[in-house]
Amino acid sequence: MSPEHGARRSRVIMVEPALTQLTKLTASETHRLDRAIVAISVNPELGTEVPGTLLRDYADEVDGVRIIYFVTALRTITIVAYVEA
């Protein structure tokens, strides 16, 4: 990787329940959530594993954001199943 380029981000996709939750958030909540989504797109291992599943649970205590997601095998797509802000 050349010095002028950062780490490759995964593409983030939200499933229907997450999209529905997103429509109920305020502009401030959406902004906080955006920062968290960027963070997990850069480093999908930020969240903790949910035992017995392929899911990961990421909670940002500072911004009060929680995201439940899973990452595809090639780590190119992060699929968000649940958002909370």
Side-chain angles (χ1 to χ4, degrees):
M1 177 179 345
S2 65
E4 63 270 358
H5 297 297
R8 181 181 170 147
R9 291 173 30 179
S10 68
R11 188 169 137 219
V12 176
I13 297 173
M14 293 193 169
V15 297
E16 185 56 40
L19 288 172
T20 300
Q21 292 162 318
L22 189 60
T23 64
K24 298 176 183 176
L25 299 179
T26 66
S28 174
E29 291 169 332
T30 302
H31 180 70
R32 293 189 336 251
L33 182 64
D34 282 345
R35 288 197 306 244
I37 288 173
V38 168
I40 64 171
S41 75
V42 172
N43 182 4
E45 293 184 13
L46 282 179
T48 58
E49 292 180 13
V50 176
T53 72
L54 298 175
L55 297 173
R56 299 188 73 80
D57 187 345
Y58 173 73
D60 182 328
E61 303 295 330
V62 174
D63 279 336
V65 173
R66 183 175 180 214
I67 302 171
I68 307 292
Y69 65 99
F70 65 95
V71 182
T72 59
L74 297 177
R75 300 175 48 89
T76 57
I77 301 175
T78 300
I79 301 170
V80 175
Y82 173 85
V83 297
E84 182 180 290

